[in-house]
Amino acid sequence: MPKISWNSYKAINAFDEYVTSENKLRSESKKISNFIGKYSTKRLLTTVKNSENAISQRGITFRVYSEDKPADHYWPLDIIPRIITKKNWSKISKGLIQRVKALNLFIDDVYNEQRIFKEKIIPKKIIFESGNFRKECLGAKPPFKVWANICGSDLVRDINGEFLVLEDNLRVPSGVSYMLENRMVMKSVFPEIFTKQKISPVDEYCSKLFSCMRSLSKNKKNPKLAILTPGVYNSAYFEHVYLAQQMGVELVEGSDLFVENDKVYMKTVGGKEQLHSLYRRIDDLYLDPKVFNKKSLIGIPGIFKAWRKGNISILNAPGSGVADDKVVYSYVPKMIKFYLNEEPLINQVETFLCHEKKQRDYVIKNISKLVVKPANESGGYGILMGPISSTKEKNDCIKKIKKNPRNYIAQPLINLSTSPTLINNQLDPRHIDLRPFILSGANNYVTQGGLTRVALKKGSMIVNSSQGGGSKDTWILDI
């Protein structure tokens, strides 16, 4: 039976994580590629089938909406892992912690002293016009001055192999359960490789999240923790259930909670039980109908006041999304210098702000070369890929920019790095990104790697699962 051949695998016009531009295996990928190279095509395809069976048996699904109808799909995992050296990851981790520290100081400053406006580092108007600015949060002081306790920053690797931050997700970042499940599946189909290679574990995430939630609670002896879900129809419901089970905490909906004397209680068969720390997986606007969206049926009336009084900690804190804005993203290097007096340890993608006339004119003139993004969308929605878009799509986008310039930014198209992926029984390069998760409470923690997402369509740069993307297990290798 023929084997999968690395000789026929060719890197395209991008930084490939397994082979050099001369199509020679990189030192960090040799051990894994040699291991896979010993598999016959039949054995490798059997391994793929085993991974699919494991995903099915474990019930690993994600939900997409088509014409407003939900449909559950099994999670797509490619069995060729993504490799990053431990030395390289150590530098990235330090850069991510630095970045999230600055972002949290920025959010705290916006809702309190507003020094960054007084020093004219960021125009006040930009922040107050953000769709995620919550004036109700002015004067609030969460524990440790940390607002975004869970951050999922999206990283890409450019043509030179440099990691860059593409965006920061500070509202309700998702995907960590898939990172953990990917590892469980890979261990089940490649058990021998995990006994022979020094692959950094990822399974401590849930215990770190549990510790983070405890550190935010006023009740230090026996705090009651819970995860708030909008319910079974949410696209990330699998993750809500998974995290609650792994941490041994309650999974609750808004109807399971109530507020009394500015304290939040959970309904139980034994009566009411006070809640001290809540990881919410619903948007700010639906959290408390007394404060935000009065029509919300999934929130808890009065919880915002209880949070303001310090009687419950909410992860992420209401208002933290003010930094989850692609316009605000462009100012993060300045934040790092302003709040930490440091140079950024990890770079980000050059960004053009359409609300500034000179930059807007440049974007409109060069729209065929750029990627245009709405400031507050997620999941790959609303993006214009200039180099591959039609004339009509570009003209429509220009109209939107002119109508609401504050809502748009543009970036040069980063030719995302590629990694070998099993396509039609052959190894083929596919573009990838990476979402590591950063926890902030009494301490900071960065996952060992993260969720690698893959654009399964040839040449595509859209990696989101909702847009047809897949995933890989990310191996931080000590070589």
Side-chain angles (χ1 to χ4, degrees), residues 25-281:
L25 286 166
R26 298 186 185 279
S27 57
E28 62 265 33
S29 66
K30 279 182 180 178
K31 289 181 180 178
I32 307 305
S33 57
N34 288 340
F35 175 84
I36 293 168
K38 292 175 183 176
Y39 273 48
S40 66
T41 303
K42 182 179 179 181
R43 188 181 175 194
L44 204 56
L45 295 179
T46 299
T47 304
V48 171
K49 190 65 179 175
N50 290 342
S51 73
E52 291 172 348
N53 288 339
I55 288 167
S56 174
Q57 289 167 5
R58 295 179 70 83
I60 310 171
T61 61
F62 71 102
R63 178 165 289 165
V64 293
Y65 286 84
S66 178
E67 297 178 358
D68 295 326
K69 291 181 180 179
D72 289 325
H73 299 269
Y74 284 117
W75 182 247
L77 169 64
D78 179 74
I79 65 168
I80 310 298
R82 194 238 186 105
I83 309 294
I84 303 172
T85 64
K86 197 165 189 177
K87 184 178 179 181
N88 202 356
W89 191 250
S90 177
K91 295 177 184 176
I92 295 167
S93 296
K94 289 173 184 173
L96 290 171
I97 288 174
Q98 177 198 55
R99 187 177 180 90
V100 172
K101 277 184 179 177
L103 283 164
N104 272 305
L105 288 169
F106 164 72
I107 301 167
D108 192 67
D109 192 21
V110 164
Y111 291 119
N112 287 282
E113 296 179 7
Q114 301 188 349
R115 287 192 303 123
I116 203 160
F117 302 146
K118 294 168 187 173
E119 297 290 332
K120 301 190 185 316
I121 307 296
I122 298 179
K124 185 189 292 188
K125 186 180 179 184
I126 283 177
I127 305 306
F128 289 172
E129 285 181 355
S130 169
N132 293 313
F133 172 72
R134 306 282 177 250
K135 65 181 185 300
E136 297 86 356
C137 294
L138 290 167
K141 297 183 182 295
F144 312 112
K145 293 186 176 181
V146 173
W147 293 69
N149 308 96
I150 301 122
C151 174
S153 291
D154 290 342
L155 305 181
V156 295
R157 215 167 181 181
D158 67 10
I159 194 75
N160 300 311
E162 181 186 4
F163 279 98
L164 303 170
V165 178
L166 185 65
E167 63 181 55
D168 304 290
N169 298 283
L170 300 157
R171 282 176 285 181
V172 280
S174 63
V176 74
S177 63
Y178 299 112
M179 175 195 80
L180 299 169
E181 286 285 21
N182 281 354
R183 179 58 53 85
M184 294 294 288
V185 172
M186 290 292 281
K187 278 184 173 181
S188 72
V189 298
F190 286 133
E192 62 270 45
I193 203 166
F194 282 91
T195 61
K196 294 177 182 177
Q197 303 298 329
K198 295 179 180 177
I199 303 167
S200 298
V202 296
D203 50 10
E204 63 181 359
Y205 177 82
C206 290
S207 64
K208 293 290 185 182
L209 177 57
F210 184 83
S211 297
C212 179
M213 291 182 71
R214 282 182 64 96
S215 76
L216 302 173
S217 171
K218 277 186 175 181
N219 183 331
K220 299 301 180 186
K221 287 186 178 181
N222 188 30
K224 192 69 180 175
L225 319 176
I227 296 175
L228 175 64
T229 177
V232 295
Y233 295 109
N234 185 263
S235 60
Y237 186 69
F238 168 85
E239 180 158 295
H240 308 164
V241 173
Y242 179 90
L243 291 174
Q245 289 175 341
Q246 293 297 311
M247 289 195 292
V249 303
E250 298 293 338
L251 181 67
V252 297
E253 296 185 29
S255 58
D256 299 318
L257 307 177
F258 67 96
V259 176
E260 194 176 87
N261 297 323
D262 297 327
K263 292 179 181 178
V264 181
Y265 293 92
M266 184 169 57
K267 302 169 187 174
T268 74
V269 290
K272 65 182 184 182
E273 190 169 1
Q274 187 178 351
L275 202 58
H276 302 99
S277 192
L278 183 67
Y279 177 16
R280 52 108 179 181
R281 296 296 297 256

Side-chain angles (χ1 to χ4, degrees), residues 367-368 384 386 388-398:
I367 199 164
S368 294
L384 176 90
I388 59 171
S389 61
S390 67
T391 301
K392 183 182 184 304
E393 287 170 335
K394 287 193 273 278
N395 288 336
D396 288 346
C397 184
I398 290 170

Side-chain angles (χ1 to χ4, degrees), residues 259 264 278 287-288 300-308 312 314:
V259 176
V264 181
L278 183 67
L287 190 59
D288 188 338
I300 307 99
I303 193 172
F304 185 80
K305 188 177 178 183
W307 171 73
R308 291 276 321 212
I312 188 169
I314 300 175

